[in-house]
Short mmCIF file of all heavy atoms in Angstrom, two decimals:
data_model
loop_
_atom_site.label_atom_id
_atom_site.label_comp_id
_atom_site.label_asym_id
_atom_site.label_seq_id
_atom_site.Cartn_x
_atom_site.Cartn_y
_atom_site.Cartn_z
N GLN P 16 -135.40 71.27 -72.36
CA GLN P 16 -134.62 70.17 -72.89
C GLN P 16 -133.32 70.66 -73.47
O GLN P 16 -133.17 71.79 -73.86
CB GLN P 16 -135.40 69.44 -73.97
CG GLN P 16 -134.73 68.17 -74.31
CD GLN P 16 -135.69 67.07 -74.52
OE1 GLN P 16 -136.86 67.31 -74.63
NE2 GLN P 16 -135.21 65.86 -74.58
N HIS P 25 -126.54 53.26 -80.94
CA HIS P 25 -127.28 53.16 -79.69
C HIS P 25 -126.47 52.44 -78.65
O HIS P 25 -125.92 51.39 -78.93
CB HIS P 25 -128.51 52.26 -79.92
CG HIS P 25 -129.58 52.98 -80.59
ND1 HIS P 25 -130.82 53.08 -80.08
CD2 HIS P 25 -129.57 53.65 -81.74
CE1 HIS P 25 -131.55 53.77 -80.90
NE2 HIS P 25 -130.81 54.12 -81.92
N HIS P 28 -130.02 51.75 -74.64
CA HIS P 28 -131.27 51.05 -74.39
C HIS P 28 -131.19 49.89 -73.42
O HIS P 28 -132.16 49.52 -72.84
CB HIS P 28 -131.83 50.53 -75.70
CG HIS P 28 -132.10 51.63 -76.65
ND1 HIS P 28 -132.72 52.78 -76.26
CD2 HIS P 28 -131.81 51.78 -77.94
CE1 HIS P 28 -132.80 53.59 -77.28
NE2 HIS P 28 -132.24 53.01 -78.31
N GLN P 139 -141.49 50.70 -83.03
CA GLN P 139 -140.42 51.15 -83.92
C GLN P 139 -141.04 52.06 -84.97
O GLN P 139 -141.90 51.62 -85.72
CB GLN P 139 -139.79 49.91 -84.59
CG GLN P 139 -138.60 50.22 -85.45
CD GLN P 139 -137.39 50.65 -84.64
OE1 GLN P 139 -137.14 50.12 -83.57
NE2 GLN P 139 -136.68 51.64 -85.14
N THR P 140 -140.67 53.32 -84.99
CA THR P 140 -141.23 54.21 -86.01
C THR P 140 -140.43 54.06 -87.30
O THR P 140 -139.39 53.41 -87.30
CB THR P 140 -141.17 55.69 -85.56
OG1 THR P 140 -139.79 56.03 -85.43
CG2 THR P 140 -141.90 55.91 -84.27
N ASP P 142 -138.88 56.41 -89.17
CA ASP P 142 -137.62 57.13 -89.34
C ASP P 142 -137.19 57.92 -88.11
O ASP P 142 -136.33 58.78 -88.18
CB ASP P 142 -137.73 58.07 -90.55
CG ASP P 142 -138.96 58.92 -90.49
OD1 ASP P 142 -139.71 58.83 -89.49
OD2 ASP P 142 -139.22 59.67 -91.41
N ARG P 143 -137.83 57.65 -86.98
CA ARG P 143 -137.45 58.40 -85.79
C ARG P 143 -137.05 57.49 -84.64
O ARG P 143 -137.17 57.83 -83.48
CB ARG P 143 -138.60 59.31 -85.36
CG ARG P 143 -138.82 60.49 -86.30
CD ARG P 143 -140.19 61.08 -86.13
NE ARG P 143 -141.20 60.14 -86.53
CZ ARG P 143 -142.24 59.78 -85.77
NH1 ARG P 143 -142.43 60.30 -84.59
NH2 ARG P 143 -143.10 58.89 -86.21
N GLY P 144 -136.64 56.30 -84.97
CA GLY P 144 -136.25 55.35 -83.94
C GLY P 144 -137.47 54.83 -83.22
O GLY P 144 -138.55 54.70 -83.80
N ILE P 145 -137.31 54.61 -81.92
CA ILE P 145 -138.44 54.07 -81.15
C ILE P 145 -139.37 55.22 -80.76
O ILE P 145 -138.91 56.35 -80.55
CB ILE P 145 -137.89 53.35 -79.91
CG1 ILE P 145 -137.06 52.14 -80.35
CG2 ILE P 145 -139.00 52.90 -78.97
CD1 ILE P 145 -136.29 51.49 -79.23
N GLY P 146 -140.63 54.93 -80.68
CA GLY P 146 -141.59 55.92 -80.23
C GLY P 146 -142.54 55.28 -79.24
O GLY P 146 -142.47 54.07 -79.00
N TYR P 162 -140.98 61.40 -66.71
CA TYR P 162 -139.71 61.16 -67.39
C TYR P 162 -138.68 60.80 -66.32
O TYR P 162 -138.37 61.62 -65.46
CB TYR P 162 -139.31 62.42 -68.15
CG TYR P 162 -138.14 62.23 -69.09
CD1 TYR P 162 -138.31 62.17 -70.46
CD2 TYR P 162 -136.85 62.14 -68.59
CE1 TYR P 162 -137.24 61.99 -71.32
CE2 TYR P 162 -135.77 61.96 -69.45
CZ TYR P 162 -135.98 61.90 -70.81
OH TYR P 162 -134.92 61.73 -71.67
N CYS P 184 -126.89 58.56 -81.42
CA CYS P 184 -127.61 59.38 -82.41
C CYS P 184 -128.93 59.88 -81.85
O CYS P 184 -129.50 60.82 -82.35
CB CYS P 184 -127.81 58.61 -83.71
SG CYS P 184 -128.94 57.26 -83.56
N HIS P 185 -129.42 59.24 -80.82
CA HIS P 185 -130.64 59.75 -80.17
C HIS P 185 -130.23 60.34 -78.82
O HIS P 185 -129.32 59.84 -78.18
CB HIS P 185 -131.63 58.62 -79.93
CG HIS P 185 -132.15 58.02 -81.19
ND1 HIS P 185 -132.90 58.72 -82.10
CD2 HIS P 185 -132.00 56.79 -81.71
CE1 HIS P 185 -133.20 57.95 -83.11
NE2 HIS P 185 -132.66 56.77 -82.90
N HIS P 186 -130.93 61.36 -78.43
CA HIS P 186 -130.55 62.03 -77.18
C HIS P 186 -131.63 61.88 -76.13
O HIS P 186 -132.81 62.03 -76.42
CB HIS P 186 -130.27 63.50 -77.47
CG HIS P 186 -129.24 63.66 -78.53
ND1 HIS P 186 -127.99 63.12 -78.39
CD2 HIS P 186 -129.29 64.22 -79.75
CE1 HIS P 186 -127.30 63.35 -79.49
NE2 HIS P 186 -128.07 64.01 -80.33
N TYR P 187 -131.20 61.58 -74.96
CA TYR P 187 -132.13 61.32 -73.86
C TYR P 187 -131.76 62.18 -72.68
O TYR P 187 -131.09 61.72 -71.75
CB TYR P 187 -132.07 59.85 -73.44
CG TYR P 187 -132.19 58.89 -74.60
CD1 TYR P 187 -131.07 58.47 -75.29
CD2 TYR P 187 -133.42 58.43 -74.99
CE1 TYR P 187 -131.17 57.60 -76.35
CE2 TYR P 187 -133.55 57.56 -76.06
CZ TYR P 187 -132.41 57.15 -76.74
OH TYR P 187 -132.52 56.30 -77.80
N ALA P 188 -132.09 63.42 -72.73
CA ALA P 188 -131.78 64.29 -71.61
C ALA P 188 -132.84 65.37 -71.53
O ALA P 188 -133.34 65.84 -72.56
CB ALA P 188 -130.41 64.92 -71.79
N GLY P 206 -140.67 56.96 -70.80
CA GLY P 206 -140.79 58.39 -71.09
C GLY P 206 -139.70 58.88 -72.03
O GLY P 206 -139.92 59.79 -72.82
N ARG P 207 -138.55 58.25 -71.96
CA ARG P 207 -137.45 58.75 -72.78
C ARG P 207 -137.60 58.37 -74.26
O ARG P 207 -136.83 58.80 -75.09
CB ARG P 207 -136.11 58.25 -72.25
CG ARG P 207 -135.88 56.77 -72.41
CD ARG P 207 -134.82 56.29 -71.46
NE ARG P 207 -134.56 54.89 -71.66
CZ ARG P 207 -133.40 54.41 -72.07
NH1 ARG P 207 -132.39 55.21 -72.29
NH2 ARG P 207 -133.24 53.13 -72.23
N TYR P 208 -138.59 57.54 -74.55
CA TYR P 208 -138.80 57.17 -75.95
C TYR P 208 -139.88 58.01 -76.62
O TYR P 208 -140.21 57.79 -77.78
CB TYR P 208 -139.18 55.68 -76.06
CG TYR P 208 -138.04 54.79 -75.68
CD1 TYR P 208 -138.05 54.08 -74.49
CD2 TYR P 208 -136.93 54.69 -76.50
CE1 TYR P 208 -136.98 53.29 -74.12
CE2 TYR P 208 -135.85 53.90 -76.15
CZ TYR P 208 -135.88 53.20 -74.96
OH TYR P 208 -134.82 52.44 -74.61
N VAL P 209 -140.46 58.95 -75.87
CA VAL P 209 -141.49 59.79 -76.50
C VAL P 209 -140.78 60.75 -77.45
O VAL P 209 -139.87 61.47 -77.05
CB VAL P 209 -142.30 60.55 -75.42
CG1 VAL P 209 -143.35 61.42 -76.08
CG2 VAL P 209 -142.94 59.57 -74.46
N ASN P 210 -141.19 60.74 -78.67
CA ASN P 210 -140.53 61.53 -79.71
C ASN P 210 -141.03 62.97 -79.73
O ASN P 210 -142.06 63.30 -79.16
CB ASN P 210 -140.74 60.88 -81.08
CG ASN P 210 -139.81 59.72 -81.28
OD1 ASN P 210 -138.66 59.76 -80.82
ND2 ASN P 210 -140.29 58.68 -81.93
N HIS P 211 -140.29 63.76 -80.48
CA HIS P 211 -140.64 65.17 -80.63
C HIS P 211 -141.62 65.36 -81.79
O HIS P 211 -141.56 64.64 -82.78
CB HIS P 211 -139.37 65.97 -80.91
CG HIS P 211 -139.62 67.30 -81.55
ND1 HIS P 211 -139.83 68.45 -80.82
CD2 HIS P 211 -139.74 67.65 -82.86
CE1 HIS P 211 -140.06 69.45 -81.66
NE2 HIS P 211 -140.00 68.99 -82.91
N ALA P 212 -142.51 66.33 -81.67
CA ALA P 212 -143.35 66.73 -82.81
C ALA P 212 -143.57 68.22 -82.72
O ALA P 212 -143.62 68.80 -81.62
CB ALA P 212 -144.68 65.99 -82.80
N CYS P 213 -143.66 68.86 -83.87
CA CYS P 213 -143.86 70.31 -83.87
C CYS P 213 -145.32 70.66 -83.58
O CYS P 213 -145.63 71.76 -83.16
CB CYS P 213 -143.41 70.90 -85.19
SG CYS P 213 -141.66 70.59 -85.49
N TYR P 246 -144.25 65.27 -77.80
CA TYR P 246 -144.26 66.61 -77.21
C TYR P 246 -143.20 67.45 -77.90
O TYR P 246 -142.32 66.91 -78.59
CB TYR P 246 -144.08 66.56 -75.69
CG TYR P 246 -142.75 66.04 -75.21
CD1 TYR P 246 -141.71 66.91 -74.87
CD2 TYR P 246 -142.51 64.69 -75.05
CE1 TYR P 246 -140.49 66.43 -74.40
CE2 TYR P 246 -141.30 64.20 -74.60
CZ TYR P 246 -140.29 65.08 -74.28
OH TYR P 246 -139.09 64.61 -73.82
N TYR P 248 -140.03 69.22 -78.04
CA TYR P 248 -138.80 69.27 -77.25
C TYR P 248 -138.39 70.72 -76.99
O TYR P 248 -137.90 71.05 -75.93
CB TYR P 248 -137.67 68.56 -77.97
CG TYR P 248 -137.75 67.04 -78.01
CD1 TYR P 248 -138.84 66.37 -77.49
CD2 TYR P 248 -136.73 66.30 -78.58
CE1 TYR P 248 -138.90 64.99 -77.55
CE2 TYR P 248 -136.79 64.92 -78.63
CZ TYR P 248 -137.88 64.27 -78.12
OH TYR P 248 -137.93 62.91 -78.18
N PHE P 250 -135.98 72.52 -77.61
CA PHE P 250 -134.71 72.84 -76.98
C PHE P 250 -133.84 73.71 -77.88
O PHE P 250 -134.01 73.74 -79.08
CB PHE P 250 -133.97 71.61 -76.53
CG PHE P 250 -133.70 70.57 -77.59
CD1 PHE P 250 -132.96 70.86 -78.73
CD2 PHE P 250 -134.18 69.29 -77.42
CE1 PHE P 250 -132.69 69.89 -79.66
CE2 PHE P 250 -133.92 68.32 -78.37
CZ PHE P 250 -133.18 68.62 -79.49
N GLN P 259 -130.60 68.35 -85.31
CA GLN P 259 -131.25 67.16 -85.85
C GLN P 259 -132.46 67.55 -86.69
O GLN P 259 -133.26 68.39 -86.28
CB GLN P 259 -131.70 66.26 -84.69
CG GLN P 259 -130.56 65.46 -84.12
CD GLN P 259 -131.09 64.46 -83.14
OE1 GLN P 259 -131.47 64.82 -82.05
NE2 GLN P 259 -131.12 63.20 -83.54
N GLU P 260 -132.57 66.88 -87.81
CA GLU P 260 -133.69 67.15 -88.70
C GLU P 260 -134.96 66.55 -88.11
O GLU P 260 -134.94 65.43 -87.62
CB GLU P 260 -133.41 66.52 -90.06
CG GLU P 260 -134.45 66.87 -91.10
CD GLU P 260 -134.31 66.06 -92.36
OE1 GLU P 260 -133.18 65.65 -92.70
OE2 GLU P 260 -135.35 65.82 -92.98
N CYS P 261 -136.02 67.32 -88.11
CA CYS P 261 -137.27 66.81 -87.54
C CYS P 261 -138.04 66.05 -88.61
O CYS P 261 -138.16 66.51 -89.74
CB CYS P 261 -138.12 67.96 -87.01
SG CYS P 261 -139.68 67.39 -86.37
N ARG P 262 -138.55 64.90 -88.23
CA ARG P 262 -139.32 64.11 -89.19
C ARG P 262 -140.73 63.87 -88.64
O ARG P 262 -141.27 62.79 -88.78
CB ARG P 262 -138.61 62.77 -89.46
CG ARG P 262 -137.23 62.98 -90.01
CD ARG P 262 -136.63 61.71 -90.54
NE ARG P 262 -135.21 61.89 -90.68
CZ ARG P 262 -134.30 61.39 -89.86
NH1 ARG P 262 -134.66 60.63 -88.86
NH2 ARG P 262 -133.02 61.60 -90.05
N CYS P 263 -141.27 64.88 -87.95
CA CYS P 263 -142.58 64.67 -87.34
C CYS P 263 -143.67 64.62 -88.41
O CYS P 263 -144.73 64.07 -88.19
CB CYS P 263 -142.88 65.73 -86.29
SG CYS P 263 -143.19 67.35 -86.98
N GLY P 264 -143.40 65.19 -89.56
CA GLY P 264 -144.33 65.09 -90.69
C GLY P 264 -145.52 66.02 -90.59
O GLY P 264 -146.42 65.96 -91.41
N ILE P 272 -135.45 69.59 -84.87
CA ILE P 272 -135.97 69.32 -83.52
C ILE P 272 -135.55 70.50 -82.67
O ILE P 272 -134.37 70.87 -82.63
CB ILE P 272 -135.40 68.01 -82.96
CG1 ILE P 272 -135.76 66.87 -83.88
CG2 ILE P 272 -135.90 67.76 -81.56
CD1 ILE P 272 -135.26 65.53 -83.42
N GLU P 358 -132.19 50.58 -86.25
CA GLU P 358 -132.96 50.36 -85.04
C GLU P 358 -133.93 49.22 -85.25
O GLU P 358 -134.73 49.23 -86.16
CB GLU P 358 -133.75 51.62 -84.71
CG GLU P 358 -132.86 52.69 -84.23
CD GLU P 358 -133.34 54.04 -84.63
OE1 GLU P 358 -134.37 54.13 -85.29
OE2 GLU P 358 -132.67 54.99 -84.27
N GLU P 362 -134.21 46.08 -79.87
CA GLU P 362 -133.73 47.08 -78.94
C GLU P 362 -134.73 47.30 -77.82
O GLU P 362 -134.36 47.66 -76.72
CB GLU P 362 -133.53 48.40 -79.67
CG GLU P 362 -132.26 48.39 -80.43
CD GLU P 362 -132.23 49.53 -81.42
OE1 GLU P 362 -133.25 50.19 -81.59
OE2 GLU P 362 -131.17 49.71 -82.00
C1 SAM T 1001 -135.74 61.11 -76.33
S1 SAM T 1001 -135.23 60.27 -77.75
C2 SAM T 1001 -136.70 59.58 -78.32
C3 SAM T 1001 -136.58 58.10 -78.55
C4 SAM T 1001 -135.78 57.72 -79.74
N1 SAM T 1001 -136.62 57.84 -80.93
C5 SAM T 1001 -135.20 56.32 -79.67
O1 SAM T 1001 -135.28 55.57 -80.63
O2 SAM T 1001 -134.64 55.97 -78.67
C6 SAM T 1001 -134.94 61.63 -78.78
C7 SAM T 1001 -134.31 61.26 -80.09
O3 SAM T 1001 -135.23 60.64 -80.94
C8 SAM T 1001 -135.11 61.12 -82.26
N2 SAM T 1001 -136.32 61.89 -82.58
C9 SAM T 1001 -137.31 62.21 -81.75
N3 SAM T 1001 -138.26 62.91 -82.38
C10 SAM T 1001 -137.87 63.05 -83.64
C11 SAM T 1001 -138.41 63.71 -84.78
N4 SAM T 1001 -139.58 64.36 -84.74
N5 SAM T 1001 -137.71 63.66 -85.92
C12 SAM T 1001 -136.55 63.00 -85.99
N6 SAM T 1001 -135.97 62.37 -84.96
C13 SAM T 1001 -136.62 62.39 -83.78
C14 SAM T 1001 -133.90 62.03 -82.26
O4 SAM T 1001 -132.78 61.27 -82.59
C15 SAM T 1001 -133.82 62.45 -80.83
O5 SAM T 1001 -132.53 62.80 -80.44
#
Side-chain angles (χ1 to χ4, degrees):
Q16 192 140 12
H25 281 236
H28 300 315
Q139 184 69 39
T140 63
D142 50 3
R143 289 161 295 127
I145 296 170
Y162 190 106
C184 68
H185 295 296
H186 304 302
Y187 310 89
R207 69 200 182 117
Y208 292 108
V209 180
N210 281 324
H211 159 90
C213 299
Y246 65 96
Y248 287 4
F250 56 59
Q259 281 188 286
E260 186 190 331
C261 178
R262 301 192 196 104
C263 71
I272 301 180
E358 289 147 0
E362 281 165 352

